């Protein structure tokens, strides 16, 4: 006889079943909610962070259940060993690109979408009651809302979003492969690059068609962030610059900022409180554009760079 999700959680977390059942039933409402400015500078983003006891449940699910969920290779964000450079580099040698963005990506993925996905997942051998328990553990219910949705702030949301997009990624990747188009997705940001500039419009139509036919989740394209770009203008992918010689760059502004901070450090004028930030920028630059770090080491000395 198959052991229930509740029984497994009870044994692993050392909690009585009745207490655990109450915690799971109330989990969608145990979130701290606050607003932060969007990186674009326009508007605010709602962050819903689960309470400590809910996070504990989510981490258990991540360790014991998420191994049954597939993530497509085109999904770059939240994947170990991949970063924004991994997302940008495949597009560097193509002269034309299309960038698309999902509108309200995480909140658009609902608990009912997950239940439909889980029922179709042959690896996930769980009863209906346990699937609904999983949904309560993983999804947030805002006040005055009837639908449970994926929250920005839960540790389980990033990987789960990738899993939920698996069918979309398959459909789009297969189409792009036939059309000799490169496709990557970094969370809600999609990038397509190609040699034939007319493919940009055709890819956009294909994405819209796939979204219309997709049973779950129901997503929309943010038309305000749709960008057609080419080598004739600056091409930026997930914050990195694609150079016309086929490389990925930090961009002049970032490098100018790092050089200025290094100059302040060498001259003894960098505030101690800013040193961790500079250390982080150097680590980031080493991952993205190692040649730039080598130039800084030649200029200031390896010992200076490593001492920061």
């Amino acid at each position: 006889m198959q052991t229930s999700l509740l029984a497994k959680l009870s044994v692993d977390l050392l909690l009585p079943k009745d207490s655990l059942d109450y915690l799971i039933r109330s989990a969608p409402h145990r979130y701290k909610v606050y607003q932060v400015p969007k990186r674009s500078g326009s508007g605010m983003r709602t962050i819903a962070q689960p309470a400590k006891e809910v996070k504990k449940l989510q981490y258990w699910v991540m360790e014991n259940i998420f191994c049954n969920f597939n993530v497509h290779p085109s999904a770059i964000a939240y994947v170990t060993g991949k970063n924004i450079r991994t997302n940008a580099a495949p597009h560097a040698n193509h002269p034309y690109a299309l960038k698309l963005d999902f509108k309200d990506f995480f909140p658009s993925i609902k608990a009912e979408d997950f239940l439909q996905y889980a029922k179709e997942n042959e690896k996930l051998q769980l009863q209906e009651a346990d699937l609904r328990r999983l949904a309560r553990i993983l999804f947030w219910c805002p006040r005055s809302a009837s639908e449970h949705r994926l929250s920005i702030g839960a540790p389980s949301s990033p990987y789960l979003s990738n899993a939920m997009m698996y069918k979309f990624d398959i459909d789009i990747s297969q189409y792009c492969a036939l059309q000799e188009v490169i496709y990557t997705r970094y969370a809600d940001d999609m990038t397509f690059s190609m040699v034939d500039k007319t493919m940009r419009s055709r890819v956009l139509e294909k994405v819209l068609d796939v979204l219309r036919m997709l049973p779950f989740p129901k997503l929309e394209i943010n038309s305000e962030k749709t960008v057609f770009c080419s080598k004739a203008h600056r091409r930026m992918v997930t914050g990195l610059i694609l150079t016309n010689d086929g490389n990925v760059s930090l961009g002049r502004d970032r490098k100018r900022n790092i050089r200025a901070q290094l100059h302040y450090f060498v001259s003894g004028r960098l505030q101690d409180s800013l040193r961790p930030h500079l250390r982080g920028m150097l680590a980031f630059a080493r991952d993205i554009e190692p040649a730039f770090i080598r130039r800084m080491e030649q200029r200031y000395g390896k010992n200076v760079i490593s001492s920061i």
Side-chain angles (χ1 to χ4, degrees), residues 71-282:
V71 171
H72 195 272
S74 62
I76 307 300
Y78 324 122
V79 177
T80 302
K82 296 183 179 182
N83 56 26
I84 58 174
R85 191 184 196 287
T86 314
N87 185 63
H91 305 284
N93 285 311
H94 291 74
Y96 300 101
L98 167 69
K99 297 197 297 181
L100 302 177
D101 186 274
F102 288 120
K103 184 178 181 181
D104 299 326
F105 181 50
F106 274 22
S108 295
I109 300 175
K110 306 294 182 11
E112 289 302 316
D113 298 327
F114 169 74
L115 290 173
Q116 191 173 347
Y117 164 82
K119 288 172 185 176
E120 295 178 5
N121 188 333
E122 295 178 356
K123 296 180 183 178
L124 203 59
Q125 300 294 318
L126 291 174
Q127 299 296 320
E128 173 80 17
D130 282 338
L131 293 180
R132 293 200 170 273
R133 288 188 179 101
L134 275 181
R136 285 187 166 274
I137 291 170
L138 297 170
F139 288 81
W140 163 56
C141 185
R143 287 184 180 180
S144 71
S146 57
E147 290 185 310
H148 296 191
R149 61 192 66 173
L150 209 58
S151 78
I152 303 171
S156 52
S157 292
Y159 188 95
L160 185 56
S161 71
N162 275 343
M164 295 288 292
M165 293 298 293
Y166 186 65
K167 182 174 178 6
F168 173 85
D169 288 335
I170 285 180
D171 290 349
I172 295 299
S173 292
Q174 289 176 345
Y175 171 80
C176 287
L178 290 173
Q179 303 298 328
E180 297 184 340
V181 171
I182 301 297
Y183 163 62
T184 61
R185 181 177 61 79
Y186 198 91
D188 56 351
D189 292 324
M190 292 167 283
T191 305
F192 305 84
S193 61
M194 63 285 292
V195 174
D196 180 1
K197 67 179 180 180
T198 65
M199 280 303 304
R200 294 179 296 186
S201 297
R202 290 157 64 184
V203 167
L204 175 57
E205 286 303 314
K206 178 63 178 180
V207 170
L208 294 174
D209 284 344
V210 170
L211 288 177
R212 279 191 288 267
M213 299 297 293
L214 202 66
F216 60 85
K218 293 300 181 182
L219 299 170
E220 295 180 24
I221 296 296
N222 185 345
S223 58
E224 294 180 0
K225 292 186 177 181
T226 297
V227 178
F228 290 71
C229 49
S230 72
K231 280 189 174 183
H233 304 91
R234 189 176 76 156
R235 295 172 300 152
M236 180 180 288
V237 175
T238 44
L240 301 177
I241 305 300
L242 305 184
T243 65
N244 285 348
D245 60 359
N247 291 314
V248 177
S249 172
L250 294 161
R252 284 178 293 183
D253 291 342
R254 271 205 186 103
K255 287 189 278 193
R256 188 182 300 117
N257 185 19
I258 292 173
R259 281 193 294 263
Q261 296 292 317
L262 281 172
H263 177 73
Y264 282 127
F265 175 76
V266 171
S267 61
R269 291 183 291 157
L270 184 72
Q271 297 177 24
D272 288 341
S273 60
L274 296 178
R275 191 165 170 175
H277 179 65
L278 175 56
R279 187 184 304 124
M281 288 197 300
L282 290 171

